[in-house]
Amino acid sequence: MPRRGRSNPIVEMERALDANEFVPYYQPIVDMRGGMIVGAEVLMRWRKSNGTIVPPAVFIPLAESS
């Protein structure tokens, strides 16, 4: 059985989910011909309780692999 300690990145992500540390950022999609917002893209960011931001390149591949 693998050790599930604080150094395990999957356990850390589970804890972050429970603590609501994942924050959505909405990026508008604009029709350049008319200047109208036609949609939005949601970009997820992991803001830890100490205020640091974990780059998506670090946690997205990990989330997709589990």
Side-chain angles (χ1 to χ4, degrees):
M1 187 85 164
R3 194 179 118 220
R4 294 182 61 92
R6 209 154 162 68
S7 62
N8 184 328
I10 299 296
V11 171
E12 184 67 14
M13 283 187 64
E14 290 171 350
R15 186 209 53 78
L17 281 168
D18 290 339
N20 294 315
E21 291 182 357
F22 289 95
V23 180
Y25 285 76
Y26 298 93
Q27 178 172 319
I29 298 172
V30 179
D31 178 354
M32 296 303 288
R33 290 171 287 183
M36 301 286 296
I37 295 175
V38 296
E41 178 180 18
V42 179
L43 307 170
M44 191 58 62
R45 299 294 182 251
W46 180 356
R47 186 182 325 141
K48 291 188 170 194
S49 60
N50 65 5
T52 60
I53 302 289
V54 178
V58 171
F59 71 85
I60 297 289
L62 182 60
E64 289 177 342
S65 72
S66 25

